[in-house]
Amino acid sequence: DVKVTQSSRYLVKRTGEKVFLECVQDMDHENMFWYRQDPGLGLRLIYFSYDVKMKEKGDIPEGYSVSREKKERFSLILESASTNQTSMYLCASSLFKSSYEQYFGPGTRLTVT
Amino acid sequence: DAKTTQPPSMDCAEGRAANLPCNHSTISGNEYVYWYRQIHSQGPQYIIHGLKNNETNEMASLIITEDRKSSTLILPHATLRDTAVYYCIVRVFNDYKLSFGAGTTVTVRA
């Protein structure tokens, strides 16, 4: 089974802090994704990576950056956390860029106070 | 991408079939219908997808109407573990983005 793990299930940070969310997948997938999920707004793509050191902006990249130094690991960085970044963050991976199936991690619920 | 409309919630008895409707009246010819679900405190999980033919896998069946304007996800023998939010989405096959709306909250009762 594909396993996608995320570094934390719950995280509380203060406004202005730098925040790192890490995601690891164990199935040698080329493609990895970071989404955020908010009530009333649904699931939205922040960034996508299709190879090591390669990335594309999603629908809401502002305030975020990403890093992919190794194939299995994809990090989401909040350079200066703000309260409007309080959300559920979901990492996913897929074998092909447009695979019908994306495999999701359990999510990190981030609260910025 | 075309939008979908789903009922906000539905109940189902354990052991019975659960039929989840989805309306996608503006779907275009190259868009597929996908279903995902999200169990509480977990990430979304792929269930099934289809273009115009009915599809079945170990989890569920997908029935798409001939005009493709609506579809039904069928969980043949619902269990308590099927309690989740179910999302119906349509997207072009080569689009890598997933975008969920509110979905249908399905509660399976013993």
Side-chain angles (χ1 to χ4, degrees):
Chain A
D1 278 352
V2 174
K3 194 165 184 182
V4 179
T5 56
Q6 295 184 227
S7 50
S8 304
R9 292 300 303 272
Y10 300 94
L11 209 52
V12 179
K13 295 292 182 181
R14 294 193 181 275
T15 302
E17 279 192 85
K18 191 169 186 175
V19 182
F20 293 86
L21 303 181
E22 299 226 306
C23 174
V24 178
Q25 50 95 3
D26 66 358
M27 282 301 290
D28 204 34
H29 283 172
E30 300 284 344
N31 306 281
M32 297 186 75
F33 309 79
W34 275 107
Y35 294 90
R36 64 178 282 179
Q37 188 175 32
D38 301 284
L41 296 174
L43 191 73
R44 294 177 291 168
L45 181 66
I46 305 171
Y47 266 100
F48 159 63
S49 170
Y50 53 92
D51 202 348
V52 173
K53 297 189 188 294
M54 307 304 288
K55 62 186 179 185
E56 283 184 16
K57 292 180 180 179
D59 294 325
I60 50 164
E62 297 79 19
Y64 304 95
S65 62
V66 289
S67 171
R68 191 158 180 213
E69 298 296 320
K70 292 186 177 182
K71 191 175 187 180
E72 68 271 15
R73 190 178 298 268
F74 191 33
S75 300
L76 180 70
I77 303 152
L78 287 66
E79 296 289 343
S80 178
S82 64
T83 55
N84 63 12
Q85 292 179 308
T86 291
S87 185
M88 170 68 82
Y89 289 88
L90 290 158
C91 175
S93 74
S94 69
L95 182 58
F96 303 110
K97 182 177 179 180
S98 57
S99 289
Y100 58 86
E101 183 169 9
Q102 291 184 15
Y103 297 86
F104 283 83
T108 295
R109 184 164 296 282
L110 172 67
T111 302
V112 182
T113 61
Chain B
D1 285 351
K3 292 183 178 177
T4 62
T5 303
Q6 299 176 253
S9 64
M10 61 183 294
D11 283 2
C12 175
E14 188 179 22
R16 304 294 295 269
N19 297 289
L20 283 63
C22 180
N23 183 288
H24 32 79
S25 57
T26 59
I27 193 170
S28 56
N30 63 347
E31 289 180 315
Y32 285 67
V33 180
Y34 294 78
W35 284 83
Y36 274 73
R37 73 179 183 183
Q38 189 169 17
I39 295 169
H40 182 63
S41 297
Q42 296 184 22
Q45 176 190 23
Y46 165 82
I47 301 173
I48 200 166
H49 76 285
L51 182 63
K52 54 184 177 181
N53 297 320
N54 298 339
E55 303 288 344
T56 295
N57 63 20
E58 66 279 2
M59 287 184 70
S61 295
L62 175 60
I63 309 298
I64 302 174
T65 57
E66 195 167 339
D67 63 7
R68 302 210 323 124
K69 292 185 177 182
S70 65
S71 60
T72 300
L73 178 75
I74 300 172
L75 307 177
H77 303 287
T79 71
L80 299 178
R81 287 175 294 183
D82 292 321
T83 292
V85 180
Y86 287 77
Y87 299 100
C88 168
I89 61 174
V90 293
R91 66 168 180 154
V92 177
F93 190 73
N94 62 357
D95 184 359
Y96 56 85
K97 280 190 293 187
L98 286 178
S99 179
F100 296 163
T104 297
T105 299
V106 173
T107 303
V108 180
R109 302 192 186 278

